[in-house]
Amino acid sequence: MTTEGFTTCLWFDGQADEAANHYVSIFKDSELGKIGRHTEAGPGPAGSVLVVEFKINGQKFVALNGGPQFTFNEAISFQIYCEDQAEVDHYWSKLTEGGGQEVQCGWLKDKYGVSWQVIPKGLTEMITDPDPEKARRISEAMFSMVKLDIGALKKAYAGE
């Protein structure tokens, strides 16, 4: 991987390698990159993982074993735009397995505490539709859901 462009750094407490491997196993166009290890200079035990470079869906990330000082919260989330319900179901299932938490309106937290939005392509256009009635119907439908149901959202949008 290159250091050019934009890379998101995710801070973990000893789980960087595990998390990078987990994410790479879920997403298409994904790969592990370089792994940096602590030297005798520390601060972690020599040979233990410090950073792991990886890509998911073509986006560059670095997982850092930074310690327990900072944790993830809902103020930052990653949006996954899905083509169909099967894709929504796939990401929802894989990201909540092993201790993840379902939240609401297509939001979830994975087992590491990272927040994700698993949403169908076109949802933003529907909830921002200039027709206030269509926007209201789809918003109400979305607010009533945990994992998003594309069929139900389309019916609400159409007024069915």
Side-chain angles (χ1 to χ4, degrees):
M1 269 190 247
T2 176
T3 55
E4 296 175 15
F6 189 87
T7 302
T8 300
C9 181
L10 300 173
W11 179 295
F12 294 90
D13 182 16
Q15 303 157 312
D17 191 35
E18 175 188 322
N21 279 287
H22 180 65
Y23 297 140
V24 166
S25 76
I26 294 171
F27 293 91
K28 301 175 222 168
D29 189 19
S30 299
E31 65 181 337
L32 288 174
K34 295 178 185 174
I35 297 176
R37 299 186 180 277
H38 288 283
T39 66
E40 292 77 24
S48 65
V49 173
L50 173 62
V51 295
V52 179
E53 293 180 340
F54 65 103
K55 280 186 183 181
I56 55 176
N57 280 359
Q59 296 290 322
K60 296 180 290 184
F61 291 85
V62 170
L64 166 71
N65 278 327
Q69 299 90 330
F70 302 109
T71 58
F72 299 109
N73 68 52
E74 297 80 1
I76 299 286
S77 64
F78 296 100
Q79 296 180 327
I80 307 166
Y81 290 96
C82 300
E83 293 290 339
D84 55 31
Q85 192 65 46
E87 199 171 18
V88 168
D89 295 345
H90 164 77
Y91 289 122
W92 194 267
S93 170
K94 294 295 185 182
L95 289 167
T96 57
E97 76 182 1
Q101 176 188 2
E102 297 180 344
V103 183
Q104 187 176 0
C105 302
W107 289 62
L108 63 86
K109 288 173 85 171
D110 68 23
K111 63 184 175 180
Y112 306 105
V114 177
S115 291
W116 299 85
Q117 297 176 55
V118 182
I119 53 181
K121 288 184 178 176
L123 179 64
T124 301
E125 290 77 10
M126 289 188 283
I127 62 175
T128 59
D129 192 293
D131 180 334
E133 189 56 29
K134 286 182 175 181
R136 180 195 61 76
R137 286 192 309 261
I138 194 157
S139 295
E140 285 178 355
M142 181 186 68
F143 294 147
S144 73
M145 298 177 186
V146 177
K147 177 176 72 172
L148 298 182
D149 177 328
I150 295 174
L153 289 168
K154 287 182 177 180
K155 284 182 179 181
Y157 183 70
E160 297 174 12

